[in-house]
Amino acid sequence: MVQEYVSPVRVHKYPFEMVMAAYERRFPSCPQIPVVLECVITEDSWTADDSTRYTTRRCQLNVDAPYLLKKMIGVDYVYFIQKNHLDLKSRVLEIEATNETFSARVGVVEKCRYYVHPENPEWTCFEQSALLDVKNFFGLESTVEKIAMKQYSANIAKGKELIESFMDEVLADGVRDLKPWEAGQHARNRELRRVVSRGTEPLSPLAAPDSQRHSQPDQYTLDSEYIKRYLGELTPMQESRLLQLRKWIADLQKGKVPSDKTLLRFLRARDFNVEKAREMLSQSLLWRKKHQVDRLLSEYETPEVVKQYFPGGWHHHDKDGRPLYVLRLGQMDVKGLLKSIGEDGLLKLTLHVCEEGLKLLEEATRSSEHAVQAWSLLVDLDGLNMRHLWRPGVRALLRIIQIVEANYPETMGRVLIVRAPRVFPILWTIVSTFIDENTRSKFLFYGGKDYLQPGGLLDYIPKDLIPDFLGGPCKSFVHEGGLVPKSLYVSGAFTERDGDPLSEDSIYRSVSLAKGQVHEVVVSNRDPQSVLTWDFDVLRHDIAFTVLHTHLDLPPPDESATGGAAQSVVAASWREGSHFRRAEPTLLCHDGESIQGSHVMTECGNYVLQWRCELLDTSHRAAQLMYFYETLDSHQYK
């Protein structure tokens, strides 16, 4: 079990020589790091010109391990051998520490390095890294690793604070300016040697830096202050994972490396598992290249139908400074948009919004005092009904969700759902299983008008930015949506996929009806509160539609007639109110109409979906419809 830990660069805004004087104050022990009990010098030598010092120490550490574990392994303390190389001429200090205790069972190699900042000679950089190899430890390998990680994290967090604290002591003693080592300046060099001759920085189990010995930082390091300002607060382990992924992707790409924010998003999506994040990111980079996604912002031209009928757009920021996107989903004509621009067109629109979001995140971070890592989404469901559950449209939505989840993970900070109608749980049941669990946890739901009450939108959006269509004072430029005129439909824009279980070819049935004929579907219900849903298109002439209910047994519909049309299963002798009732009023549907609806089946018994031809002129061709129905269990509809 081998683990590698890498930390970002810490920058001390003092010259190298002053930093050396500060950390000398930490020897031979440091109360701020109680794990280090004592460090004894076993070897110490300087070169003749006082430019280089070689020091070896044996450090006694009181590892923060459970008492029982210490008794099981028979030790109270562990020892590390620390070798230090201080080069005042090159202004570099390198430290390497290895464990002496249990070295045959556990291998720990720690390295750290102080060097002059490559862009500012008055600043000093500090890097850390460590390698932990738990070979065999009495069956306690996992426990040892956890203890090491905990100790590593704790001491990295303290490192910069300690230097700053001891620097205050150095300055209080009147040491203000230590000149760098110079050839031939014997008196100055001896004074510099005297100041830095007490020792070098002690290391705890897992305190850590890059093993390469050079005076410039390599391409895989990041400054800790940069991380805090532009990426947000990360734990030492998270910082380490970020640096590892950065290096791996750079080796893989052999060219342009994605931004650190992008790397961090994929790490978060995979719970900071570097291997899984690298696999996910690699697939996404290939996808972006294949579909030329990097060119979307500069080349995408918004279709005219989207400009007029797509009810979504960016709307200022929320209280956390996140860009806010508003989508009036209840006003969206999904079928009309798909018939106009197709599924790929709707996908391209979504990807363009995502790319805009990434750009807005960069702008928000630059203009604020903290990292803005995700945007917020406000979804208004007013007007949502069963027409939004048109199955090809749902299928297109699921495909888009899967692509966005795979390529834009952790970009959604919060999703505010307002004015959710009773039909919404049906859509949510279908869609939610395709949304990552972590993303689902960011959804907040508000039904009715409670979204403007305490605990509602005002907790997340400034009062003066609540959109006007939600009762706020802020003018919204998000389009109201509405039905897309059929004149804007484009022939062939939306076609079903062969073999797709959600395609019209596989789940929609076509039926022809002559005058007076009916087509019926009998649904036997034994689950009160389950939901019967339907979706049908009238392709020719007018058709009357209704839903009936009876507790009596019904014969199965006779589908031997042409097109599935037959006589009604409801006997001619039955009387409405006595033998059956209308669960839904009769609806006259005209040529070209698309109808979606649902009914909560509050009673057991038989429900009948009935379509009846209303042709007045027998010379006309038969009426035609295409339909689909589905039953949703009661536990799905809450």
Side-chain angles (χ1 to χ4, degrees):
M1 178 164 40
V2 179
Q3 294 286 347
E4 181 180 2
Y5 309 105
V6 184
S7 299
V9 176
R10 263 67 178 175
V11 177
H12 302 290
K13 296 182 179 180
Y14 296 96
F16 176 80
E17 291 71 25
M18 291 291 289
V19 172
M20 294 298 99
Y23 75 67
E24 285 298 324
R25 303 284 177 128
R26 298 169 63 172
F27 284 99
S29 61
C30 179
Q32 293 92 333
I33 309 182
V35 66
V36 181
L37 300 179
E38 186 180 24
C39 289
V40 178
I41 295 177
T42 57
E43 296 181 22
D44 194 20
S45 63
W46 284 84
T47 56
D49 60 358
D50 293 330
S51 67
T52 306
R53 182 190 187 192
Y54 298 94
T55 308
T56 301
R57 288 183 175 82
R58 188 170 187 259
C59 300
Q60 184 185 42
L61 285 76
N62 181 16
V63 179
D64 183 17
Y67 174 80
L68 182 59
L69 176 60
K70 290 183 177 181
K71 290 302 179 184
M72 288 175 62
I73 61 179
V75 298
D76 289 322
Y77 309 107
V78 298
Y79 291 88
F80 271 70
I81 302 301
Q82 186 187 84
K83 296 182 178 180
N84 310 293
H85 174 208
L86 173 62
D87 189 337
L88 294 175
K89 181 178 179 180
S90 299
R91 304 179 79 189
V92 175
L93 169 64
E94 293 177 328
I95 307 168
E96 180 175 292
T98 56
N99 61 309
E100 181 182 69
T101 307
F102 296 120
S103 58
R105 296 180 177 272
V106 179
V108 179
V109 179
E110 307 174 314
K111 297 180 181 181
C112 61
R113 183 167 169 269
Y114 287 89
Y115 57 93
V116 177
H117 193 287
E119 297 176 1
N120 189 334
E122 297 301 309
W123 291 356
T124 304
C125 296
F126 177 51
E127 298 176 352
Q128 292 179 292
S129 68
L131 190 68
L132 173 66
D133 182 8
V134 183
K135 305 167 186 175
N136 185 329
F137 205 80
F138 313 107
L140 302 172
E141 292 80 6
S142 179
T143 301
V144 170
E145 182 183 3
K146 290 179 181 178
I147 293 174
M149 290 176 64
K150 178 182 177 181
Q151 199 71 62
Y152 173 75
S153 300
N155 286 282
I156 284 181
K158 294 178 182 177
K160 188 173 182 180
E161 294 178 16
L162 289 175
I163 290 295
E164 300 295 328
S165 174
F166 286 122
M167 185 62 71
D168 291 339
E169 294 185 13
V170 171
L171 296 174
D173 287 347
V175 179
R176 302 284 177 179
D177 185 19
L178 293 173
K179 299 297 181 182
W181 181 95
E182 287 188 16
Q185 299 292 324
H186 301 295
R188 175 194 292 179
N189 295 338
R190 288 196 188 96
E191 176 61 20
L192 183 58
R193 167 179 168 169
R194 183 187 66 79
V195 175
V196 300
S197 63
R198 291 175 54 193
T200 55
E201 173 163 305
L203 279 165
S204 63
L206 298 187
D210 190 59
S211 61
Q212 302 178 31
R213 297 189 173 188
H214 47 74
S215 59
Q216 299 293 325
D218 64 43
Q219 61 178 315
Y220 309 128
T221 58
L222 289 175
D223 180 84
S224 60
E225 293 185 11
Y226 158 81
I227 290 178
K228 183 177 181 180
R229 171 63 181 85
Y230 292 100
L231 303 181
E233 295 285 352
L234 299 177
T235 67
M237 285 298 102
Q238 291 171 343
E239 292 175 340
S240 176
R241 301 294 188 261
L242 174 59
L243 292 174
Q244 289 179 43
L245 181 60
R246 199 168 188 259
K247 181 180 185 303
W248 281 2
I249 291 297
D251 291 342
L252 178 68
Q253 290 295 105
K254 303 299 181 184
K256 182 181 178 182
V257 178
S259 70
D260 299 316
K261 278 193 172 184
T262 298
L263 300 179
L264 190 57
R265 287 193 291 106
F266 281 84
L267 279 168
R268 285 197 170 106
R270 290 296 177 262
D271 198 26
F272 282 87
N273 183 303
V274 180
E275 288 282 359
K276 292 181 179 179
R278 180 174 65 163
E279 180 181 357
M280 183 184 185
L281 178 55
S282 297
Q283 292 296 323
S284 180
L285 292 175
L286 290 173
W287 170 83
R288 292 183 69 88
K289 184 176 181 179
K290 178 180 179 181
H291 298 283
Q292 299 183 321
V293 179
D294 290 337
R295 297 163 60 176
L296 260 181
L297 284 179
S298 61
E299 297 183 358
Y300 179 74
E301 295 184 8
T302 305
E304 195 61 33
V305 67
V306 172
K307 294 178 182 178
Q308 295 184 44
Y309 295 98
F310 183 73
W314 294 102
H315 179 84
H316 303 285
H317 297 78
D318 67 8
K319 285 188 174 182
D320 295 318
R322 295 165 169 163
L324 177 64
Y325 193 85
V326 174
L327 180 64
R328 303 183 69 176
L329 183 60
Q331 304 301 317
M332 183 187 297
D333 181 6
V334 179
K335 177 180 287 188
L337 288 170
L338 286 173
K339 294 286 188 180
S340 302
I341 62 175
E343 185 175 323
D344 288 340
L346 194 58
L347 172 61
K348 185 171 289 188
L349 169 63
T350 305
L351 298 182
H352 184 257
V353 170
C354 291
E355 290 296 308
E356 284 182 322
L358 295 179
K359 182 179 178 181
L360 290 173
L361 290 179
E362 295 291 340
E363 295 174 358
T365 295
R366 287 195 297 267
S367 61
S368 65
E369 296 181 355
H370 64 279
V372 181
Q373 303 169 8
W375 58 74
S376 290
L377 175 64
L378 172 60
V379 183
D380 177 22
L381 296 180
D382 184 48
L384 187 78
N385 55 48
M386 289 307 298
R387 66 183 172 85
H388 293 90
L389 294 182
W390 181 53
R391 300 303 287 190
V394 172
R395 186 220 48 221
L397 176 61
L398 296 183
R399 178 190 174 216
I400 290 173
I401 288 174
Q402 288 176 317
I403 291 175
V404 170
E405 285 279 305
N407 297 285
Y408 299 91
E410 296 299 316
T411 54
M412 194 69 69
R414 183 181 296 121
V415 183
L416 303 168
I417 307 289
V418 298
R419 301 201 284 191
R422 182 166 173 75
V423 73
F424 171 69
I426 301 176
L427 181 62
W428 178 245
T429 297
I430 297 171
V431 171
S432 61
T433 55
F434 291 85
I435 301 176
D436 178 80
E437 182 178 353
N438 188 39
T439 302
R440 289 203 304 271
S441 68
K442 301 172 184 177
F443 279 68
L444 299 173
F445 300 93
Y446 303 95
K449 296 182 179 180
D450 63 350
Y451 58 87
L452 290 180
Q453 301 301 316
L457 293 185
L458 295 178
D459 285 359
Y460 307 104
I461 302 175
K463 184 177 181 179
D464 60 336
L465 295 182
I466 299 292
D468 51 1
F469 61 84
L470 291 178
C474 188
K475 174 66 176 177
S476 169
F477 294 98
V478 175
H479 201 282
E480 293 184 2
L483 294 176
V484 176
K486 292 187 178 180
S487 60
L488 295 179
Y489 287 8
V490 176
S491 177
F494 181 70
T495 57
E496 303 302 332
R497 300 174 186 274
D498 294 337
D500 192 320
L502 290 177
S503 70
E504 292 181 356
D505 291 338
S506 61
I507 68 170
Y508 281 78
R509 288 194 59 191
S510 293
V511 177
S512 296
L513 297 173
K515 182 182 178 180
Q517 283 189 318
V518 298
H519 179 76
E520 295 177 332
V521 173
V522 176
V523 178
S524 180
N525 180 48
R526 295 181 176 82
D527 179 16
Q529 302 302 318
S530 61
V531 180
L532 178 60
T533 71
W534 56 84
D535 176 14
F536 64 90
D537 288 270
V538 179
L539 304 180
R540 189 187 302 138
H541 303 309
D542 294 345
I543 293 178
F545 172 74
T546 190
V547 180
L548 309 176
H549 173 262
T550 180
H551 289 288
L552 302 176
D553 293 334
L554 294 175
D558 179 10
E559 298 188 355
S560 61
T562 303
Q567 294 301 313
S568 176
V569 296
V570 178
S573 60
W574 288 8
R575 295 291 178 262
E576 185 174 350
S578 298
H579 301 91
F580 69 93
R581 67 178 179 86
R582 292 182 188 272
E584 292 286 335
T586 300
L587 178 67
L588 183 59
C589 308
H590 302 290
D591 185 0
E593 280 194 296
S594 177
I595 308 297
Q596 295 83 29
S598 65
H599 179 81
V600 179
M601 297 186 290
T602 56
E603 300 179 67
C604 293
N606 292 310
Y607 287 81
V608 181
L609 298 173
Q610 183 186 86
W611 292 269
R612 181 182 298 274
C613 177
E614 296 292 338
L615 278 176
L616 300 179
D617 188 344
T618 56
S619 65
H620 288 170
R621 289 183 298 168
Q624 190 173 15
L625 76 130
M626 182 174 66
Y627 73 92
F628 167 78
Y629 74 95
E630 184 176 22
T631 300
L632 300 177
D633 295 339
S634 59
H635 70 84
Q636 294 180 302
Y637 189 68
K638 300 177 181 178

Coordinates of all heavy atoms in Angstrom, one line a residue, residues 155-201:
N155 N 0.3 18.9 10.6 CA 1.6 19.7 10.6 C 1.8 20.6 9.4 O 2.4 21.6 9.5 CB 2.7 18.7 10.7 CG 2.8 18.1 12.1 OD1 3.3 18.7 13.0 ND2 2.3 16.9 12.3
I156 N 1.2 20.2 8.2 CA 1.2 21.1 7.1 C 0.5 22.4 7.4 O 0.9 23.5 7.1 CB 0.7 20.4 5.8 CG1 1.7 19.4 5.3 CG2 0.3 21.4 4.8 CD1 1.2 18.7 4.0
A157 N -0.7 22.2 8.0 CA -1.5 23.4 8.4 C -0.8 24.3 9.3 O -1.0 25.5 9.2 CB -2.8 22.9 9.0
K158 N 0.1 23.8 10.1 CA 0.8 24.7 11.1 C 2.1 25.3 10.5 O 2.5 26.3 11.0 CB 1.2 23.8 12.3 CG 0.1 23.3 13.1 CD 0.6 22.5 14.3 CE -0.5 21.9 15.1 NZ 0.1 21.0 16.2
G159 N 2.6 24.7 9.4 CA 3.9 25.1 9.0 C 4.1 26.6 8.7 O 5.1 27.2 9.3
K160 N 3.3 27.2 7.9 CA 3.5 28.6 7.6 C 3.2 29.5 8.8 O 3.9 30.5 9.0 CB 2.5 29.0 6.4 CG 2.8 30.3 5.9 CD 2.0 30.7 4.6 CE 2.4 32.1 4.1 NZ 1.6 32.4 2.9
E161 N 2.2 29.1 9.6 CA 2.0 29.9 10.8 C 3.2 30.0 11.7 O 3.5 31.1 12.2 CB 0.8 29.3 11.6 CG -0.5 29.3 10.9 CD -1.6 28.6 11.8 OE1 -1.3 28.5 13.0 OE2 -2.6 28.3 11.2
L162 N 3.9 28.9 11.9 CA 5.1 28.9 12.7 C 6.2 29.8 12.2 O 6.8 30.5 13.0 CB 5.6 27.4 12.9 CG 4.6 26.5 13.7 CD1 5.2 25.1 13.7 CD2 4.6 27.0 15.1
I163 N 6.4 29.7 10.9 CA 7.5 30.6 10.4 C 7.2 32.0 10.6 O 8.0 32.8 11.0 CB 7.7 30.3 8.9 CG1 8.3 28.9 8.7 CG2 8.5 31.3 8.2 CD1 9.7 28.8 9.2
E164 N 5.9 32.4 10.4 CA 5.5 33.8 10.6 C 5.6 34.2 12.1 O 6.0 35.3 12.4 CB 4.0 34.0 10.1 CG 3.8 33.7 8.7 CD 4.5 34.6 7.7 OE1 4.7 35.8 8.1 OE2 4.9 34.2 6.6
S165 N 5.3 33.2 13.0 CA 5.4 33.5 14.4 C 6.9 33.7 14.8 O 7.2 34.7 15.5 CB 4.8 32.4 15.2 OG 5.0 32.5 16.6
F166 N 7.8 32.8 14.4 CA 9.2 32.9 14.7 C 9.8 34.1 14.0 O 10.8 34.7 14.5 CB 9.9 31.6 14.4 CG 9.6 30.5 15.4 CD1 9.1 29.3 14.9 CD2 9.8 30.7 16.7 CE1 8.8 28.3 15.8 CE2 9.6 29.6 17.6 CZ 9.0 28.5 17.2
M167 N 9.3 34.5 12.9 CA 9.8 35.7 12.2 C 9.6 36.9 13.1 O 10.4 37.8 13.1 CB 9.2 35.9 10.9 CG 9.7 37.0 10.0 SD 11.5 36.8 9.6 CE 11.4 35.5 8.4
D168 N 8.5 37.0 13.8 CA 8.2 38.1 14.7 C 9.3 38.2 15.8 O 9.7 39.2 16.2 CB 6.8 38.0 15.3 CG 5.7 38.2 14.3 OD1 5.9 38.8 13.3 OD2 4.6 37.7 14.6
E169 N 9.7 37.0 16.3 CA 10.7 36.9 17.3 C 12.1 37.4 16.7 O 12.8 38.2 17.4 CB 10.9 35.5 17.8 CG 9.7 35.0 18.6 CD 10.0 33.6 19.2 OE1 11.1 33.2 19.2 OE2 9.0 33.0 19.7
V170 N 12.4 37.0 15.5 CA 13.6 37.5 14.9 C 13.7 39.0 14.8 O 14.7 39.6 15.1 CB 13.8 36.8 13.5 CG1 15.0 37.4 12.7 CG2 14.0 35.3 13.7
L171 N 12.6 39.5 14.3 CA 12.5 41.0 14.1 C 12.5 41.7 15.4 O 13.1 42.8 15.6 CB 11.2 41.4 13.4 CG 11.1 40.8 11.9 CD1 9.7 41.1 11.3 CD2 12.2 41.5 11.0
A172 N 11.9 41.1 16.5 CA 11.9 41.7 17.8 C 13.3 41.8 18.4 O 13.7 42.6 19.2 CB 11.0 41.0 18.7
D173 N 14.2 40.8 18.0 CA 15.6 40.8 18.4 C 16.5 41.7 17.7 O 17.7 41.8 17.9 CB 16.1 39.4 18.3 CG 15.5 38.5 19.4 OD1 14.9 39.0 20.4 OD2 15.7 37.2 19.3
G174 N 15.9 42.5 16.7 CA 16.7 43.5 16.0 C 17.3 43.0 14.7 O 18.0 43.7 14.1
V175 N 17.0 41.7 14.4 CA 17.6 41.2 13.1 C 16.7 41.6 12.0 O 15.5 41.2 11.9 CB 17.7 39.7 13.1 CG1 18.3 39.1 11.8 CG2 18.6 39.2 14.3
R176 N 17.1 42.5 11.1 CA 16.3 43.1 10.1 C 16.7 42.8 8.7 O 15.9 42.7 7.8 CB 16.3 44.6 10.2 CG 15.8 45.1 11.6 CD 14.3 45.0 11.7 NE 13.8 45.4 13.0 CZ 12.6 45.4 13.4 NH1 11.6 45.0 12.5 NH2 12.2 45.8 14.6
D177 N 18.0 42.6 8.5 CA 18.5 42.4 7.1 C 19.8 41.6 7.1 O 20.8 42.0 7.5 CB 18.8 43.8 6.5 CG 19.2 43.7 5.1 OD1 18.9 42.7 4.5 OD2 19.8 44.7 4.6
L178 N 19.6 40.3 6.7 CA 20.7 39.4 6.5 C 21.1 39.3 5.1 O 20.3 38.9 4.3 CB 20.3 38.0 7.1 CG 20.1 37.9 8.6 CD1 19.6 36.5 9.0 CD2 21.4 38.2 9.4
K179 N 22.3 39.8 4.8 CA 22.7 39.8 3.4 C 23.1 38.4 2.9 O 23.6 37.5 3.7 CB 24.0 40.6 3.2 CG 23.8 42.1 3.6 CD 22.7 42.8 2.7 CE 22.5 44.2 3.0 NZ 21.5 44.9 2.2
P180 N 22.8 38.0 1.6 CA 23.1 36.7 1.1 C 24.6 36.5 1.2 O 25.4 37.4 1.2 CB 22.6 36.8 -0.3 CG 21.6 37.9 -0.3 CD 22.1 38.9 0.7
W181 N 25.0 35.2 1.1 CA 26.4 34.7 1.1 C 27.1 35.3 -0.1 O 26.5 35.3 -1.2 CB 26.4 33.2 1.1 CG 27.8 32.6 1.1 CD1 28.5 32.2 2.2 CD2 28.7 32.4 0.0 NE1 29.7 31.7 1.9 CE2 29.9 31.8 0.5 CE3 28.5 32.6 -1.4 CZ2 30.9 31.5 -0.3 CZ3 29.6 32.2 -2.2 CH2 30.8 31.7 -1.7
E182 N 28.3 35.7 0.1 CA 29.1 36.2 -1.1 C 30.5 35.6 -1.0 O 31.1 35.5 0.1 CB 29.2 37.7 -1.1 CG 27.9 38.4 -1.5 CD 28.1 39.9 -1.7 OE1 29.3 40.3 -1.8 OE2 27.1 40.6 -1.7
A183 N 31.1 35.2 -2.1 CA 32.5 34.7 -2.1 C 33.4 35.7 -1.6 O 33.4 36.9 -2.0 CB 32.8 34.3 -3.6
G184 N 34.3 35.4 -0.7 CA 35.4 36.3 -0.2 C 34.9 37.1 0.9 O 35.8 37.8 1.5
Q185 N 33.7 37.2 1.2 CA 33.2 38.0 2.4 C 33.2 37.1 3.6 O 32.1 36.7 4.1 CB 31.8 38.5 2.1 CG 31.7 39.4 0.8 CD 32.4 40.7 1.1 OE1 32.4 41.3 2.2 NE2 33.1 41.2 0.0
H186 N 34.4 36.9 4.2 CA 34.5 35.9 5.3 C 33.8 36.4 6.5 O 33.1 35.6 7.2 CB 36.0 35.7 5.6 CG 36.7 35.2 4.4 ND1 36.5 33.9 3.9 CD2 37.8 35.7 3.7 CE1 37.3 33.7 2.9 NE2 38.1 34.8 2.7
A187 N 33.9 37.7 6.9 CA 33.3 38.1 8.2 C 31.7 38.0 8.0 O 31.0 37.6 8.9 CB 33.7 39.5 8.5
R188 N 31.2 38.5 6.9 CA 29.8 38.5 6.7 C 29.3 37.0 6.7 O 28.3 36.7 7.3 CB 29.4 39.1 5.4 CG 27.9 39.0 5.1 CD 27.6 39.4 3.7 NE 27.8 40.9 3.4 CZ 27.6 41.5 2.3 NH1 27.2 40.7 1.2 NH2 27.8 42.8 2.1
N189 N 30.0 36.1 6.0 CA 29.6 34.8 5.9 C 29.6 34.0 7.2 O 28.8 33.2 7.5 CB 30.5 34.0 4.9 CG 30.3 34.6 3.5 OD1 29.3 35.2 3.2 ND2 31.3 34.4 2.6
R190 N 30.6 34.4 8.1 CA 30.7 33.8 9.4 C 29.5 34.2 10.2 O 28.9 33.4 11.0 CB 32.0 34.1 10.1 CG 33.2 33.4 9.5 CD 34.4 33.5 10.5 NE 35.6 33.0 9.8 CZ 36.5 33.8 9.2 NH1 36.3 35.1 9.2 NH2 37.6 33.3 8.7
E191 N 29.1 35.5 10.1 CA 28.0 36.0 10.8 C 26.7 35.3 10.4 O 25.8 34.9 11.2 CB 27.8 37.5 10.7 CG 26.6 38.1 11.3 CD 26.5 37.9 12.8 OE1 27.6 37.7 13.4 OE2 25.4 38.0 13.4
L192 N 26.6 35.1 9.1 CA 25.4 34.4 8.5 C 25.4 33.0 9.0 O 24.4 32.4 9.3 CB 25.4 34.5 7.0 CG 24.3 33.9 6.2 CD1 23.0 34.5 6.7 CD2 24.5 34.0 4.7
R193 N 26.6 32.4 9.0 CA 26.7 31.0 9.5 C 26.3 30.9 10.9 O 25.6 29.9 11.3 CB 28.1 30.5 9.3 CG 28.4 29.2 10.0 CD 29.8 28.7 9.8 NE 30.2 27.6 10.7 CZ 31.3 26.9 10.7 NH1 32.1 27.1 9.7 NH2 31.5 25.9 11.6
R194 N 26.7 31.9 11.7 CA 26.3 31.8 13.1 C 24.8 31.9 13.3 O 24.3 31.1 14.2 CB 27.0 33.0 13.9 CG 26.7 33.0 15.4 CD 27.2 34.3 16.0 NE 26.4 35.5 15.6 CZ 25.2 35.8 16.0 NH1 24.7 35.0 17.0 NH2 24.6 36.8 15.6
V195 N 24.1 32.7 12.5 CA 22.7 32.8 12.7 C 22.0 31.5 12.3 O 21.0 31.2 12.9 CB 22.2 34.0 11.8 CG1 20.7 34.1 11.9 CG2 22.8 35.3 12.3
V196 N 22.5 30.9 11.3 CA 21.8 29.7 10.8 C 22.4 28.4 11.2 O 22.2 27.3 10.7 CB 21.7 29.7 9.3 CG1 20.9 30.9 8.8 CG2 23.1 29.6 8.6
S197 N 23.3 28.4 12.2 CA 24.1 27.2 12.6 C 23.4 26.4 13.7 O 23.9 25.3 14.1 CB 25.4 27.6 13.1 OG 25.3 28.4 14.3
R198 N 22.2 26.8 14.2 CA 21.5 26.1 15.2 C 20.8 24.8 14.7 O 20.6 23.9 15.4 CB 20.5 26.9 15.9 CG 21.1 28.0 16.8 CD 20.1 28.9 17.4 NE 19.1 28.1 18.1 CZ 17.9 28.6 18.6 NH1 17.6 29.9 18.3 NH2 17.1 27.8 19.2
G199 N 20.5 24.8 13.4 CA 19.9 23.6 12.8 C 19.0 23.9 11.7 O 19.0 25.0 11.1
T200 N 18.2 23.0 11.3 CA 17.3 23.1 10.2 C 15.9 22.7 10.7 O 15.7 22.3 11.8 CB 17.6 22.3 9.0 OG1 17.8 20.9 9.4 CG2 18.9 22.7 8.4
E201 N 14.9 22.8 9.8 CA 13.5 22.6 10.3 C 13.2 21.2 10.6 O 13.5 20.3 9.8 CB 12.5 23.1 9.2 CG 11.1 22.8 9.5 CD 10.1 23.6 8.7 OE1 10.2 24.8 8.7 OE2 9.3 23.0 8.0

